[in-house]
Amino acid sequence: MQAFTVNLASVDSAGGETVTVDLGTRRTFYAWCQITVIDSLADFDRDNAAAIDIVRVDGTLTPWRAAGGDHFGPPGAVSNVRESAMSGAGQRITFRLRAFHKADLAVLGVGMVLVP
């Protein structure tokens, strides 16, 4: 079994990051992601949020899991929170980490992919 790990960061008011794991060829995989650190740089309150997700596989958006409110779009919008863990087949798995009201937050996360 092979394992791929990518680190994602939203620091210095960057707002977020996307990172793609390229498996080289289309393969069966299991992928997941998680936030590892949220550091409040000022007031951690209602305008703050953080999200990490698997936004695309081979360029196709994954299903959305959270929408609306102050931070996300209407159902189906690319800005919504997408899958956080999934199995499937593909070559390129794209992880996305975002911090909302980024001046108040530093956020770190990790994306992982296992292939048989």
Side-chain angles (χ1 to χ4, degrees):
M1 179 175 299
Q2 284 184 287
F4 300 84
T5 302
V6 292
N7 294 301
L8 297 100
S10 174
V11 293
D12 300 326
S13 300
E17 179 177 30
T18 59
V19 177
T20 299
V21 172
D22 190 334
L23 303 176
T25 61
R26 185 172 172 82
R27 301 172 72 177
T28 301
F29 67 85
Y30 180 71
W32 73 99
C33 51
Q34 67 185 45
I35 291 175
T36 57
V37 174
I38 298 176
D39 186 12
S40 178
L41 304 174
D43 294 324
F44 191 80
D45 53 17
R46 189 175 186 287
D47 67 347
N48 299 122
I52 190 169
D53 54 7
I54 303 164
V55 67
R56 296 178 189 274
V57 174
D58 291 339
T60 301
L61 289 170
T62 63
W64 61 274
R65 299 297 176 209
D70 294 337
H71 304 292
F72 310 114
V78 71
S79 60
N80 294 333
V81 178
R82 305 267 164 188
E83 295 284 3
S84 59
M86 64 180 293
S87 60
Q91 179 178 334
R92 293 175 312 281
I93 299 99
T94 303
F95 297 94
R96 172 177 64 176
L97 173 76
R98 295 174 287 165
F100 299 92
H101 199 219
K102 59 190 177 252
D104 287 358
L105 295 176
V107 182
L108 302 175
V110 63
M112 295 150 285
V113 181
L114 295 178
V115 293

